[in-house]
Amino acid sequence: MRKSIYSIFLMFITLNITGQSNRFLEEVYDEIKITNDIIYGENATVLYLPVFGEAIKEPLLLDLYEPVGDAGSRPLIIYFHSGNFLPFPENLGPVGTRKDSSVVTMCKRLARCGYVVASAAYRLGWNPVANSVDDRKLGLINAAYRGVQDANTCVRYFKKTMAEGYNPFCIDTSRIVLWGDDSGGYIALNAGCLDSYIKIPSAPDGKFWYAGLFPMVLEHLNGDVEAKHYGISTPDNNFLPFPVGDTLCYANHTKYSSRFSVSVNMAGAVGDSAWIDPGQPPVISVHAPYDITTPYGEGIVYVNLGNGNYLEVVEVQGSSVVNSLTTQYGNNAGIALPQNATPFQIAVSDIGIGRNGGREGLYPILGDTITDDTPWAFWDCPTNPNCAGGLLNNPHMSKEKAVLYMDTILAYVIPRLYNTLQLNSPETNCIVETKEVLASVEIDISISPNPASDILTVNSP
């Protein structure tokens, strides 16, 4: 027995000397387990309203990515895809599902760092080419509101699995990150700051009032922002095209909190900067300063009709304004580069500081053309029906190019998550010893990651 313990001790020393990577800071796991089509809730979609004449209940699905060989409690990243709140391929863009090539690649890479990653679908549907600005604004704010409801529902789903299901995914629900790409970025940002329905009708200048007559989102019709209460069309709140009795929101996992730890925003914006308050989750943003459809600062959201034609929707505030306010209110105080950051992570951070004037938590990303505002996206051109339109904005698109941009994004965001979530704290990295003496054959010990530098997980039955 003494010899066995001595051998294990030598194994610890060897791994500690030869290891090169840090869990949660770099990609250290080779194998990823993917579980598809997990139902995290259900709610009403308006997509089929023209067919059925009412909103239809649909399941809310996610795909789960887990590192294989990992043990213990892991932080959770809930990842929301792009797509302009419209279904693919009707959105006329080359991306728009939780199974997009770039989404799958990013989720796998995050899982290789030790995170559990949920690529979550959310409800879609609005009319971006409606005749009036008010109609387009009405459609977009409702689509974003449903996305925030679904994000809150997804957070509560995982807290429910921990409380009632014996935590099957080994998740630390005190460390949950919402990460969004483009329209998904809107969800990740607004879920953090739209913490009360009243913020919508009270937005400055009556921004979200329809023709000055009524709020564009009605809590008793649309449900509360957390989707904890039903929203039903009644004679008093009925607005066409929803018939009386139509349910627009179903309550999900009402016993649990929707609170999460950090928002990561790639090319998203907030509906109004007045929604940002002290005490809200910190925000890490990646955004192209020249983005036309979603402003980097304050500006108008536009619908791209192709051939240089755009339709105005609504004024919003993008990553630069969000970063200024979250920093001013002290929400971003914990965001910083950790001492054990890699040389590449330090170099990327220095580039970000050079581009943003010394600000923390904001990385201005530059594509290789002035139209390339999401250079991390890629897709398969021979089979993608919207490939040609996508290439108008990203003419040099390729997986190789996208992966290089992902390298930069991960090098900027991951070390800041590491610091903000305090992933080097003792409760995330601990070894528990047995008080009994066991035969070596009973131990069946496994150690991960391998190689490693200063953090090891030892697992045994």
Side-chain angles (χ1 to χ4, degrees):
M1 183 63 192
R2 182 177 298 173
K3 182 177 180 181
S4 297
I5 295 174
Y6 184 68
S7 297
I8 293 171
F9 181 70
L10 285 179
M11 190 185 306
F12 275 116
I13 294 175
T14 303
L15 288 171
N16 198 45
I17 292 174
T18 61
Q20 299 296 321
S21 301
N22 291 312
R23 180 182 184 225
F24 303 135
L25 194 59
E26 299 175 77
E27 297 177 51
V28 299
Y29 298 97
D30 295 325
E31 188 178 352
I32 303 301
K33 175 186 175 183
I34 304 175
T35 307
N36 293 307
D37 301 329
I38 296 173
I39 298 175
Y40 72 85
E42 58 181 13
N43 222 317
T45 178
V46 300
L47 271 181
Y48 312 112
L49 188 64
V51 177
F52 296 104
E54 61 182 356
I56 302 298
K57 184 189 292 187
E58 70 172 359
L60 302 172
L61 302 177
L62 63 84
D63 300 331
L64 199 75
Y65 297 73
E66 301 175 79
V68 174
D70 184 41
S73 187
R74 294 88 60 92
L76 170 69
I77 293 175
I78 304 175
Y79 193 100
F80 299 103
H81 62 81
S82 180
N84 303 319
F85 295 105
L86 293 169
F88 175 84
E90 288 80 5
N91 63 1
L92 302 182
V95 296
T97 79
R98 72 183 192 279
K99 298 183 185 291
D100 288 341
S101 299
S102 45
V103 171
V104 171
T105 300
M106 185 71 88
C107 289
K108 286 181 177 178
R109 295 191 65 175
L110 291 168
R112 289 192 184 105
C113 293
Y115 293 88
V116 175
V117 186
S119 178
Y122 50 92
R123 287 172 292 163
L124 306 172
W126 68 296
N127 183 6
V129 294
N131 290 329
S132 72
V133 172
D134 261 5
D135 284 331
R136 293 192 291 272
K137 192 188 302 184
L138 171 72
L140 183 57
I141 185 58
N142 275 274
Y145 188 80
R146 288 188 290 267
V148 169
Q149 288 178 320
D150 295 347
N152 287 325
T153 296
C154 194
V155 170
R156 296 198 305 277
Y157 165 77
F158 284 103
K159 293 185 178 181
K160 179 180 179 180
T161 64
M162 181 175 182
E164 301 178 18
Y166 305 101
N167 198 8
F169 310 120
C170 298
I171 288 169
D172 178 355
T173 55
S174 70
R175 291 178 167 94
I176 297 179
V177 178
L178 299 191
W179 187 314
D181 176 359
D182 204 8
S183 51
Y186 282 76
I187 293 174
L189 281 180
N190 288 286
C193 66
L194 188 57
D195 43 26
S196 170
Y197 159 77
I198 197 62
K199 287 184 173 181
I200 296 176
S202 62
D205 302 321
K207 176 192 292 190
F208 294 117
W209 282 69
Y210 189 89
L213 300 175
F214 58 84
M216 293 184 177
V217 178
L218 297 166
E219 189 172 31
H220 46 291
L221 176 67
N222 299 93
D224 65 302
V225 73
E226 292 188 83
K228 285 187 172 182
H229 304 290
Y230 284 83
I232 300 175
S233 177
T234 67
D236 296 331
N237 68 21
N238 173 246
F239 296 98
L240 293 175
F242 304 112
V244 172
D246 196 5
T247 303
L248 297 187
C249 181
Y250 293 85
N252 288 269
H253 322 313
T254 58
K255 292 165 49 178
Y256 301 98
S257 167
S258 305
R259 291 184 64 85
F260 62 94
S261 301
V262 186
S263 293
V264 177
N265 154 53
M266 300 195 305
V270 293
D272 198 276
S273 58
W275 298 351
I276 301 174
D277 296 315
Q280 293 173 342
V283 178
I284 304 169
S285 292
V286 176
H287 204 143
Y290 50 81
D291 193 331
I292 296 175
T293 55
T294 298
Y296 176 74
E298 181 173 76
I300 303 296
V301 172
Y302 289 98
V303 175
N304 187 353
L305 300 177
N307 301 318
N309 296 315
Y310 295 87
L311 285 177
E312 176 183 338
V313 183
V314 63
E315 184 180 75
V316 297
Q317 287 75 41
S319 299
S320 180
V321 174
V322 170
N323 178 264
S324 293
L325 290 174
T326 52
T327 300
Q328 175 186 331
Y329 293 147
N331 300 343
N332 278 8
I335 296 178
L337 202 65
Q339 291 184 345
N340 56 339
T342 69
F344 181 59
Q345 290 168 346
I346 295 170
V348 168
S349 183
D350 289 343
I351 292 172
I353 289 171
R355 290 177 181 173
N356 66 25
R359 297 155 71 178
E360 181 55 85
L362 173 65
Y363 189 86
I365 198 163
L366 306 178
D368 57 4
T369 67
I370 196 63
T371 58
D372 186 11
D373 48 21
T374 55
W376 55 83
F378 71 94
W379 56 90
D380 183 39
C381 257
T383 61
N384 191 305
N386 297 333
C387 177
L391 291 177
L392 292 176
N393 288 338
N394 189 349
H396 306 129
M397 182 279 302
S398 70
K399 180 178 180 179
E400 292 72 23
K401 171 193 164 184
V403 166
L404 289 175
Y405 277 96
M406 289 181 191
D407 290 344
T408 297
I409 293 168
L410 293 174
Y412 187 81
V413 175
I414 287 297
R416 285 162 174 80
L417 287 183
Y418 183 85
N419 233 25
T420 306
L421 297 175
Q422 298 181 340
L423 294 177
N424 59 343
S425 61
E427 63 266 25
T428 62
N429 305 290
C430 61
I431 297 174
V432 180
E433 67 173 356
T434 178
K435 297 298 182 182
E436 298 181 69
V437 177
L438 302 174
S440 59
V441 69
E442 295 179 273
I443 296 176
D444 188 21
I445 197 167
S446 63
I447 299 175
S448 63
N450 185 6
S453 57
D454 60 345
I455 299 170
L456 291 172
T457 297
V458 182
N459 191 35
S460 167

